[in-house]
Amino acid sequence: MEAMAQPKYKGKRYRLDKPELLAPAGNLEKLKFAVHYGADAVYIGGQKYGLRSNADNFSFEEMKEGVEFAKKYGAKVFVASNIYAHNEDVEGIESYLRSLEEAGIAAIIAADPAIIEVAKRAAPKLEVHLSTQQSTLNWQAVKFWKDEGLPRVVLGRETSIEEIATIKEHVDIEIEAFIHGAMCSSFSGRCVLSNHFTDRDSNRGGCCQSCRWKYDLFEDGREDNGNWVSEEVQMMEQRASRPSPFKPGVTQIPLFQPEDNQFTMGSKDLCMLEHIPDLIEVGIDSFKIEGRMKSIHYVATVVNVYRQAIDSYMADPEHYVLKPEWIEEINKAANRPLNTGFFYDTPDHEDHIYEPEEKAVPYDFAGLVMAYDKHSGTAVIQQRNHFKPGDEIEFFGPEGTFFKQVVGPIQDEDGNELNAARHPLQLIRLQVDQPVRNFDMMRKRKG
């Protein structure tokens, strides 16, 4: 059953042209999927100066290929250059930015004023978008960056929808906001736990996801000076006490039983799918999806759903409805429980994950459609995860493909029948119940 979208934002509204849908792309293949599945623009990382050093990232040649591919579909490519630079980072930035300009990159996303100023001088064809790393939350700060010549500001994740309305009222500038994906437990990504624990600088691309780790908690016990303590405390000490690494002569008492879950402090993920009218009408120009480290299945699924929702609203705002199948699709790609972040209120204890999380994604990306013969009803599938005859699978795609079926007999390229598709990237022939298209994806439930 479809439901009318119920607005939560009651303030002033600004009707906007169709917003840009901006998708993450950790590598060239993900870029192509993001564009195929409906992204108006993608943001990527280069080999330097970005905050996702563990992503595959792009060489200049890959950037050029990505730009050419995106242009065919009317899409743009942005490059995240959003580190906070130390002195040794600045050397070479000028030539790097010129190379981005030569590759056809439309804009960089930057936080450090040094990088911003070099870009404006050395690569004037590159737009400079202010990164969320600047934690820009108010209209006066936004106006400052507009006066500096920047055409777009990516707001800090802590900005509420009321604050966005105030910014749009005071400053005529493009506003980009995260509307889906992982949230940081620190202030707009300015975490130093990673530096402290692993010597990996979060603000130079090395975040080790400290907030997702499992922690033990201890309290300080008695000093080891022979003072009397209760029998209960003595039992706790015998169980798993240890000397404090911070206070010589003090015993630390564990707060967990051995069978207890350990403590984590990660945030739930952001999802604003149910509030598309609010996001559009408050004046957000670019809807940003987080996830350059996420899978192809995640990128394709999330982009495809938001594309449908945005297009549906723009086609008929007065009669827009939220389709339950969109929510179902989003949940198939969800890594964690979802919430609305800071848009409507300040997250509290219910918006964080304090115990080891169960991964929510119930589906695997099983295969990619490479070809389809309408006469025989046979598809050529590039295997991405193990599947076998008898498995229930789903097909979905950017042009409306969606159906379920059971896997029948499968063959390799030479016509040999197989009892399972076991080998990554192996080409498999499979009878399909409905027509499919190139770039359609096949997935199956885990377990």
Side-chain angles (χ1 to χ4, degrees):
M1 177 179 177
E2 296 178 347
M4 294 295 293
Q6 299 298 318
K8 292 185 69 174
Y9 169 63
K10 306 299 183 183
K12 188 172 181 180
R13 292 175 180 264
Y14 303 82
R15 182 52 53 86
L16 180 74
D17 292 336
K18 183 181 287 189
E20 172 186 271
L21 182 58
L22 177 57
N27 57 35
L28 188 56
E29 185 179 34
K30 292 176 185 177
L31 181 152
K32 293 179 178 180
F33 272 89
V35 172
H36 261 299
Y37 277 73
D40 299 304
V42 295
Y43 63 101
I44 67 175
Q47 300 293 327
K48 301 171 68 176
Y49 307 112
L51 287 183
R52 290 292 182 270
S53 59
N54 290 329
D56 292 343
N57 292 321
F58 285 67
S59 66
F60 290 123
E61 287 305 311
E62 288 173 325
M63 288 183 191
K64 291 176 183 176
E65 184 178 341
V67 167
E68 289 303 312
F69 179 87
K71 280 183 178 178
K72 294 178 184 177
Y73 296 87
K76 298 178 180 179
V77 180
F78 308 150
V79 171
S81 305
N82 51 347
I83 68 165
Y84 282 110
H86 290 241
N87 288 328
E88 62 266 27
D89 297 319
V90 176
E91 184 178 354
I93 186 64
E94 187 167 321
S95 61
Y96 176 79
L97 294 172
R98 286 201 179 108
S99 295
L100 296 184
E101 186 180 57
E102 292 168 4
I105 298 301
I108 63 166
I109 305 166
D112 194 307
I115 294 175
I116 291 170
E117 290 305 306
V118 172
K120 288 161 61 178
R121 171 177 52 80
K125 293 180 183 179
L126 277 179
E127 282 192 2
V128 180
H129 299 169
L130 188 72
S131 170
T132 191
Q133 291 297 109
Q134 267 290 346
S135 302
T136 308
L137 307 172
N138 65 80
W139 72 264
Q140 294 184 65
V142 172
K143 185 178 184 300
F144 170 85
W145 289 109
K146 181 185 178 182
D147 293 344
E148 287 294 304
L150 273 60
R152 179 184 294 191
V153 167
V154 187
L155 295 177
R157 288 174 171 87
E158 299 78 20
T159 317
S160 72
I161 201 162
E162 297 278 355
E163 290 170 322
I164 293 172
T166 302
I167 290 168
K168 293 298 290 189
E169 183 177 352
H170 285 87
V171 190
D172 182 16
I173 193 172
E174 290 184 3
I175 293 298
E176 180 178 310
F178 282 95
I179 54 93
H180 194 93
M183 296 284 284
C184 185
S185 293
S186 294
F187 203 89
S188 277
R190 297 188 181 195
C191 179
V192 294
L193 286 177
S194 180
N195 306 55
H196 178 73
F197 290 145
T198 67
D199 200 26
R200 287 168 50 181
D201 193 337
S202 301
N203 298 300
R204 298 167 85 186
C207 181
C208 67
Q209 301 286 308
S210 310
C211 57
R212 307 290 182 191
W213 290 5
K214 300 175 183 178
Y215 292 89
D216 285 317
L217 292 183
F218 295 84
E219 67 175 354
D220 286 345
R222 63 182 174 87
E223 294 185 5
D224 290 337
N225 56 11
N227 289 346
W228 178 87
V229 294
S230 69
E231 184 177 346
E232 180 182 3
V233 169
Q234 292 181 47
M235 291 177 62
M236 292 175 68
E237 289 181 351
Q238 291 171 5
R239 173 166 52 83
S241 62
R242 69 180 192 183
S244 169
F246 307 109
K247 298 180 179 180
V250 173
T251 298
Q252 285 190 331
I253 302 170
L255 298 180
F256 289 139
Q257 298 291 332
E259 65 274 13
D260 289 341
N261 285 327
Q262 292 173 297
F263 176 80
T264 67
M265 51 186 166
S267 170
K268 293 181 180 179
D269 283 359
L270 175 67
C271 176
M272 290 297 289
L273 176 64
E274 297 183 41
H275 307 285
I276 292 297
D278 282 356
L279 298 179
I280 293 176
E281 292 175 20
V282 79
I284 299 173
D285 298 87
S286 181
F287 291 4
K288 188 169 192 173
I289 298 167
E290 180 274 338
R292 277 192 286 143
M293 300 286 288
K294 300 287 179 58
S295 69
I296 290 172
H297 175 249
Y298 171 91
V299 172
T301 301
V302 174
V303 169
N304 192 34
V305 171
Y306 278 97
R307 177 79 282 151
Q308 292 179 65
I310 292 168
D311 290 350
S312 178
Y313 173 85
M314 297 303 297
D316 189 359
E318 298 303 319
H319 299 95
Y320 171 78
V321 293
L322 175 69
K323 296 183 177 180
E325 56 263 36
W326 295 342
I327 298 174
E328 183 181 347
E329 280 293 290
I330 282 291
N331 286 331
K332 289 175 182 176
N335 290 280
R336 302 179 185 95
L338 304 172
N339 67 10
T340 57
F342 288 82
F343 276 99
Y344 298 112
D345 50 36
T346 301
D348 59 18
H349 66 282
E350 293 184 352
D351 296 295
H352 289 77
I353 302 168
Y354 295 114
E355 295 184 351
E357 59 200 76
E358 293 184 10
K359 293 298 181 182
V361 181
Y363 285 83
D364 278 326
F365 173 26
L368 174 65
V369 175
M370 306 298 292
Y372 172 68
D373 183 345
K374 63 181 181 181
H375 299 294
S376 65
T378 300
V380 176
I381 307 294
Q382 185 186 72
Q383 191 262 26
R384 294 302 182 97
N385 265 300
H386 180 279
F387 65 92
K388 65 184 185 304
D391 286 345
E392 183 177 80
I393 55 173
E394 292 182 1
F395 285 95
F396 74 102
E399 297 181 52
T401 299
F402 185 83
F403 64 94
K404 300 179 181 181
Q405 73 168 71
V406 174
V407 177
I410 58 176
Q411 298 177 338
D412 64 17
E413 288 184 277
D414 299 321
N416 301 310
E417 191 160 328
L418 304 173
N419 60 12
R422 296 185 175 87
H423 307 295
L425 304 184
Q426 181 181 19
L427 295 180
I428 303 294
R429 295 188 184 278
L430 169 68
Q431 197 81 19
V432 291
D433 292 351
Q434 297 181 30
V436 290
R437 300 175 178 87
N438 288 6
F439 268 89
D440 284 354
M441 297 177 73
M442 187 182 96
R443 64 186 170 207
K444 69 164 190 170
R445 183 176 288 275
K446 291 181 178 178

